[in-house]
């Protein structure tokens, strides 16, 4: 009933998605840290502690914004998927309906021809 290879493939697919997401997030963190260092670099008057604090705040803010962006994108993807699924269902119903109408019309025409 349930093919183990299909099940394992789904698990591997989920795992690869998680790994990809993790790697993308780590890249986002590295980018935010690099930008924070570049932001603080021209501020020679800051002490080391102040520089570190500003860098941490910058990184936290950048990651918070990135998370919100990703959540907004994920929500939009979900809504688009639902819209497309609904549209597909509607088109499939319409196609099946027209097919039935054409078949019924052809059957009626053949029946009339046979009766004549």
């Amino acid at each position: 009933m349930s093919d183990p290879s299909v099940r394992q493939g789904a698990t591997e697919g989920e795992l690869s998605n998680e790994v990809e997401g993790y790697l993308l997030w780590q890249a986002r963190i590295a980018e935010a840290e690099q930008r924070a260092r570049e932001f603080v670099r021209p501020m020679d008057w800051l002490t080391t502690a102040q520089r570190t604090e500003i860098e941490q705040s910058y990184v936290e803010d950048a990651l918070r914004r990135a998370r919100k962006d990703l959540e907004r994108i994920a929500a939009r993807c979900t809504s688009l998927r639902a819209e497309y699924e609904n549209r597909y269902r509607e088109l499939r119903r319409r196609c099946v309906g027209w097919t039935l109408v054409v078949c019924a019309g052809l059957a009626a025409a053949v029946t009339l021809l046979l009766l004549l």
Side-chain angles (χ1 to χ4, degrees), residues 27-97:
R28 183 66 66 137
I29 291 171
E31 180 185 348
E33 290 171 345
Q34 177 62 32
R35 286 185 173 199
R37 283 190 295 275
E38 291 172 1
F39 176 74
V40 175
R41 186 174 296 130
M43 300 178 196
D44 298 333
W45 63 89
L46 294 175
T47 65
T48 304
Q50 290 171 331
R51 184 178 301 269
T52 302
E53 185 178 341
I54 290 173
E55 284 179 6
Q56 288 174 351
S57 285
Y58 189 99
V59 169
E60 288 172 7
D61 181 59
L63 294 178
R64 190 177 321 106
R65 289 172 187 252
R67 180 174 291 280
K68 285 181 182 178
D69 289 344
L70 290 173
E71 288 171 352
R72 189 172 41 252
I73 289 168
R76 181 64 180 145
C77 287
T78 303
S79 71
L80 281 174
R81 181 182 182 113
E83 288 177 30
Y84 285 133
E85 287 175 351
N86 288 336
R87 181 71 176 150
Y88 175 75
R89 251 184 257 112
E90 179 184 325
L91 289 173
R92 187 175 56 198
R93 258 185 260 138
R94 190 179 303 163
C95 183
V96 168

